[in-house]
Amino acid sequence: MKLLSIICLWLTLSMCHGYRILGVFPFNGKSHFMMFEHMMKGLARRGHQVDVISTFPLKKPYPNYTDFIVLKPKREFLNNLTYEDTQGMIGGSVSHSVATLAGNTICENLANPDIQNFIHNPPMDPSYDLVIIEIFGAHCYAALGHILKVPIVGVSSSVLYPWANDMIANPENLAFAPNNLLPYSQHMNFWERTYNFVHTLYNKWYFNYVTTEQNNIIRKYLGPGIPDIRELENSVAMILTNSHMSLNGIKDSTPALIEVGGLHVQEEGVELPASLEKWMNESTSGFFYFSFGSMVKIESFPSKYLKIFYNSLGKIAPVRVLMKIPNPSELPPNLPKNIHILPWIPQVKVLKHPNIKAFITHGGLMGTQEAIHYGVPLIGIPLFADQFINIETYVRNNIAVGLDLNTLTEEKMDQALHVILHDSKYRDTAREVSARFLDRPQSATDTAVYWIEYIIRHGANALRSPAMNLKWWQVELFDVYAFLLLVALVSVTLLIVALQFVFNLVNRRYEMSQKKKIS
């Protein structure tokens, strides 16, 4: 009874010391927000009061979680991205898109009347203890932490982009760690290392150059007293990143970079329709799950691709196929009988099912991490953005077969399906990678919650690297190298002068001795 009383008292005290936390996620990317939503719910379950600014309000109320300000996006991307849209995203500069469409444009939301009212009349009962922002393109929202005078924590739904490392002085060893815009492995040859170095420097410079426009936006909507965008970025106390060494390799890092890869892989609140569960249970020969994510409409693809999918997938019967199609009426006729289509599918429940054979995917990070979590091999058909790099990484790790949409044929699709079905190495490797991915001292959510609370308890400088106080040439020791080179040059020069002096002295004495002999 005494022990029980102590536990109850501890729980009561823990709940009484809940913090108030503001999450600011204005970018209209559902896959990004999946991670942020689960992280904020994890904090809410811990007893903290969380307020969220986003474009994705919860469909159901959640204890301690408040949709504080709901922003209206200019365009709805959920289940609304066509084949033409995906093609328009290929070939463009990622750094440009992130800096403008996901950066400067998103910062214009600071003009939102609700945000303006919040800025001038922030809640004080209780006041905020922390602000969490997305680390992507719109770092202007770090200004809210400055206004509220609280620490700022960043969270990235992907591996850090090149321009984000400097925010926390995260070391980049470009000799073996390619930036996340390149498809290289960690075993680069000379030319790859050279390109990695130049590419990283250029994209950092370009992103920083384009996003200086955020200074004007900040002054326009928040007034002249706010630090500039680079200072705001450098005020971030810590970054939580959706990566893990089992997938992304061993890298140097500062303690202010916390890996929480797979945090979004959770079943809480995910309901499995009885009819779908029955269909999966009855798929005794196994089934493939086919989805291009939360945005892309497979039914909008040209008929030549849909014909390939129909023909190839129809051949693998009695193996079945579960396909996410937002608007089934837009599909052409003659859908193979072994294909079952639904406009919405509880993905984690499907990937967890024992009868699943593989996941046919466009290679989005969130969905592929869910597959890796459950040890499911992949057939990757990347469409845009980081999907190409993700699939190449999984192909190198022998957990995926990659296909190029532009050169896709029925024969290539047939071969990919055959390999995944009959070569056990893909499933075996997927399970091995899954075991490493899940082998951690804490779950991803518990890790995130712990370090967020750590920053609140100990302040914004608790994990701050001393490198933040140095110039880039000091961090790289260029000034030291230059000094040592100067010392070496001076030493060599003095040695040469001394040797010349000795040589001349000896030579003169020799000449004098010869003259004496002659005389």
Short mmCIF file of all heavy atoms in Angstrom, two decimals, residues 51-75:
data_model
loop_
_atom_site.label_atom_id
_atom_site.label_comp_id
_atom_site.label_asym_id
_atom_site.label_seq_id
_atom_site.Cartn_x
_atom_site.Cartn_y
_atom_site.Cartn_z
N ASP A 51 -0.68 23.35 -27.88
CA ASP A 51 -1.46 24.15 -28.82
C ASP A 51 -0.79 24.05 -30.18
O ASP A 51 0.43 24.18 -30.28
CB ASP A 51 -1.53 25.61 -28.38
CG ASP A 51 -2.24 25.78 -27.04
OD1 ASP A 51 -3.03 24.89 -26.68
OD2 ASP A 51 -2.00 26.80 -26.37
N VAL A 52 -1.56 23.86 -31.23
CA VAL A 52 -1.00 23.60 -32.54
C VAL A 52 -1.54 24.58 -33.58
O VAL A 52 -2.75 24.81 -33.67
CB VAL A 52 -1.30 22.15 -32.99
CG1 VAL A 52 -0.77 21.90 -34.40
CG2 VAL A 52 -0.68 21.16 -32.01
N ILE A 53 -0.62 25.14 -34.35
CA ILE A 53 -0.95 25.96 -35.52
C ILE A 53 -0.61 25.13 -36.75
O ILE A 53 0.55 24.76 -36.95
CB ILE A 53 -0.16 27.28 -35.53
CG1 ILE A 53 -0.47 28.11 -34.28
CG2 ILE A 53 -0.46 28.08 -36.79
CD1 ILE A 53 0.38 29.37 -34.17
N SER A 54 -1.62 24.81 -37.57
CA SER A 54 -1.37 23.97 -38.74
C SER A 54 -2.53 24.10 -39.72
O SER A 54 -3.50 24.83 -39.48
CB SER A 54 -1.22 22.50 -38.31
OG SER A 54 -2.48 21.92 -38.04
N THR A 55 -2.42 23.36 -40.83
CA THR A 55 -3.51 23.28 -41.80
C THR A 55 -4.29 21.98 -41.64
O THR A 55 -5.16 21.67 -42.45
CB THR A 55 -2.97 23.37 -43.24
OG1 THR A 55 -2.05 22.29 -43.46
CG2 THR A 55 -2.24 24.69 -43.47
N PHE A 56 -3.96 21.19 -40.61
CA PHE A 56 -4.58 19.87 -40.42
C PHE A 56 -5.18 19.74 -39.03
O PHE A 56 -4.58 19.14 -38.13
CB PHE A 56 -3.55 18.77 -40.65
CG PHE A 56 -2.99 18.72 -42.04
CD1 PHE A 56 -1.74 19.25 -42.29
CD2 PHE A 56 -3.72 18.18 -43.08
CE1 PHE A 56 -1.21 19.23 -43.58
CE2 PHE A 56 -3.20 18.15 -44.37
CZ PHE A 56 -1.95 18.68 -44.63
N PRO A 57 -6.38 20.29 -38.81
CA PRO A 57 -7.03 20.12 -37.50
C PRO A 57 -7.40 18.66 -37.29
O PRO A 57 -7.67 17.92 -38.24
CB PRO A 57 -8.27 21.00 -37.60
CG PRO A 57 -8.56 21.08 -39.07
CD PRO A 57 -7.22 21.05 -39.75
N LEU A 58 -7.40 18.24 -36.03
CA LEU A 58 -7.78 16.86 -35.71
C LEU A 58 -9.25 16.62 -36.05
O LEU A 58 -10.09 17.51 -35.89
CB LEU A 58 -7.55 16.57 -34.23
CG LEU A 58 -6.11 16.68 -33.70
CD1 LEU A 58 -6.08 16.25 -32.24
CD2 LEU A 58 -5.15 15.85 -34.53
N LYS A 59 -9.54 15.39 -36.48
CA LYS A 59 -10.93 15.03 -36.77
C LYS A 59 -11.70 14.70 -35.50
O LYS A 59 -12.92 14.83 -35.45
CB LYS A 59 -10.95 13.86 -37.74
CG LYS A 59 -10.39 14.20 -39.12
CD LYS A 59 -10.43 13.00 -40.06
CE LYS A 59 -9.86 13.37 -41.42
NZ LYS A 59 -9.86 12.20 -42.35
N LYS A 60 -10.94 14.23 -34.48
CA LYS A 60 -11.56 13.91 -33.20
C LYS A 60 -10.82 14.63 -32.08
O LYS A 60 -9.59 14.76 -32.14
CB LYS A 60 -11.53 12.39 -32.96
CG LYS A 60 -12.32 11.58 -33.96
CD LYS A 60 -12.22 10.09 -33.63
CE LYS A 60 -13.02 9.25 -34.63
NZ LYS A 60 -12.91 7.79 -34.33
N PRO A 61 -11.52 15.10 -31.05
CA PRO A 61 -10.85 15.76 -29.93
C PRO A 61 -9.83 14.83 -29.27
O PRO A 61 -10.01 13.61 -29.23
CB PRO A 61 -11.99 16.09 -28.97
CG PRO A 61 -13.23 16.09 -29.82
CD PRO A 61 -12.99 15.06 -30.88
N TYR A 62 -8.75 15.42 -28.75
CA TYR A 62 -7.71 14.64 -28.09
C TYR A 62 -7.34 15.36 -26.80
O TYR A 62 -7.12 16.59 -26.81
CB TYR A 62 -6.48 14.53 -29.00
CG TYR A 62 -5.52 13.44 -28.63
CD1 TYR A 62 -5.69 12.15 -29.11
CD2 TYR A 62 -4.44 13.68 -27.76
CE1 TYR A 62 -4.81 11.13 -28.78
CE2 TYR A 62 -3.57 12.67 -27.42
CZ TYR A 62 -3.75 11.40 -27.92
OH TYR A 62 -2.88 10.39 -27.58
N PRO A 63 -7.26 14.65 -25.68
CA PRO A 63 -6.99 15.30 -24.40
C PRO A 63 -5.69 16.11 -24.43
O PRO A 63 -4.65 15.63 -24.92
CB PRO A 63 -6.88 14.12 -23.42
CG PRO A 63 -7.66 13.03 -24.06
CD PRO A 63 -7.48 13.19 -25.53
N ASN A 64 -5.75 17.34 -23.91
CA ASN A 64 -4.60 18.24 -23.79
C ASN A 64 -4.08 18.77 -25.12
O ASN A 64 -3.06 19.45 -25.17
CB ASN A 64 -3.43 17.58 -23.04
CG ASN A 64 -3.79 17.19 -21.63
OD1 ASN A 64 -4.61 17.84 -20.99
ND2 ASN A 64 -3.19 16.12 -21.14
N TYR A 65 -4.78 18.47 -26.23
CA TYR A 65 -4.36 18.89 -27.57
C TYR A 65 -5.38 19.88 -28.11
O TYR A 65 -6.56 19.56 -28.21
CB TYR A 65 -4.25 17.67 -28.47
CG TYR A 65 -3.70 17.90 -29.87
CD1 TYR A 65 -2.51 17.31 -30.26
CD2 TYR A 65 -4.39 18.66 -30.81
CE1 TYR A 65 -2.01 17.48 -31.55
CE2 TYR A 65 -3.90 18.84 -32.09
CZ TYR A 65 -2.71 18.25 -32.46
OH TYR A 65 -2.22 18.43 -33.74
N THR A 66 -4.92 21.08 -28.47
CA THR A 66 -5.83 22.10 -28.99
C THR A 66 -5.37 22.57 -30.36
O THR A 66 -4.20 22.95 -30.53
CB THR A 66 -5.88 23.33 -28.04
OG1 THR A 66 -6.30 22.90 -26.75
CG2 THR A 66 -6.84 24.38 -28.57
N ASP A 67 -6.28 22.55 -31.33
CA ASP A 67 -6.00 23.17 -32.63
C ASP A 67 -6.16 24.67 -32.44
O ASP A 67 -7.24 25.24 -32.62
CB ASP A 67 -6.95 22.63 -33.71
CG ASP A 67 -6.58 21.22 -34.13
OD1 ASP A 67 -5.42 21.01 -34.52
OD2 ASP A 67 -7.45 20.33 -34.06
N PHE A 68 -5.05 25.29 -32.08
CA PHE A 68 -5.06 26.69 -31.63
C PHE A 68 -5.43 27.63 -32.78
O PHE A 68 -6.29 28.50 -32.63
CB PHE A 68 -3.68 27.01 -31.07
CG PHE A 68 -3.59 28.33 -30.38
CD1 PHE A 68 -4.37 28.62 -29.28
CD2 PHE A 68 -2.71 29.30 -30.84
CE1 PHE A 68 -4.29 29.85 -28.65
CE2 PHE A 68 -2.61 30.52 -30.21
CZ PHE A 68 -3.40 30.80 -29.10
N ILE A 69 -4.75 27.50 -33.91
CA ILE A 69 -5.06 28.29 -35.10
C ILE A 69 -5.02 27.34 -36.30
O ILE A 69 -4.03 26.64 -36.52
CB ILE A 69 -4.04 29.43 -35.32
CG1 ILE A 69 -4.09 30.42 -34.14
CG2 ILE A 69 -4.32 30.16 -36.64
CD1 ILE A 69 -3.03 31.51 -34.23
N VAL A 70 -6.09 27.33 -37.06
CA VAL A 70 -6.17 26.49 -38.26
C VAL A 70 -6.00 27.38 -39.48
O VAL A 70 -6.79 28.30 -39.72
CB VAL A 70 -7.51 25.73 -38.34
CG1 VAL A 70 -7.57 24.90 -39.62
CG2 VAL A 70 -7.69 24.84 -37.11
N LEU A 71 -4.93 27.12 -40.24
CA LEU A 71 -4.63 27.92 -41.43
C LEU A 71 -5.29 27.30 -42.65
O LEU A 71 -5.39 26.07 -42.77
CB LEU A 71 -3.12 28.00 -41.64
CG LEU A 71 -2.31 28.60 -40.48
CD1 LEU A 71 -0.83 28.46 -40.74
CD2 LEU A 71 -2.69 30.07 -40.27
N LYS A 72 -5.71 28.13 -43.58
CA LYS A 72 -6.33 27.65 -44.81
C LYS A 72 -5.29 27.64 -45.93
O LYS A 72 -4.77 28.69 -46.29
CB LYS A 72 -7.51 28.54 -45.20
CG LYS A 72 -8.29 28.03 -46.40
CD LYS A 72 -9.51 28.88 -46.66
CE LYS A 72 -10.28 28.40 -47.88
NZ LYS A 72 -10.70 27.00 -47.78
N PRO A 73 -4.97 26.45 -46.48
CA PRO A 73 -3.98 26.38 -47.54
C PRO A 73 -4.51 26.96 -48.85
O PRO A 73 -5.72 26.97 -49.09
CB PRO A 73 -3.69 24.88 -47.66
CG PRO A 73 -4.96 24.23 -47.22
CD PRO A 73 -5.52 25.12 -46.14
N LYS A 74 -3.58 27.40 -49.71
CA LYS A 74 -3.99 27.93 -51.01
C LYS A 74 -4.49 26.82 -51.93
O LYS A 74 -5.32 27.04 -52.80
CB LYS A 74 -2.82 28.68 -51.66
CG LYS A 74 -2.45 29.96 -50.93
CD LYS A 74 -1.36 30.71 -51.67
CE LYS A 74 -1.04 32.03 -50.95
NZ LYS A 74 0.03 32.79 -51.65
N ARG A 75 -3.92 25.61 -51.73
CA ARG A 75 -4.37 24.47 -52.53
C ARG A 75 -4.39 23.23 -51.67
O ARG A 75 -3.50 23.03 -50.84
CB ARG A 75 -3.44 24.25 -53.73
CG ARG A 75 -3.84 23.00 -54.55
CD ARG A 75 -2.92 22.69 -55.68
NE ARG A 75 -3.24 21.40 -56.26
CZ ARG A 75 -2.58 20.84 -57.27
NH1 ARG A 75 -1.56 21.47 -57.82
NH2 ARG A 75 -2.92 19.65 -57.73
#
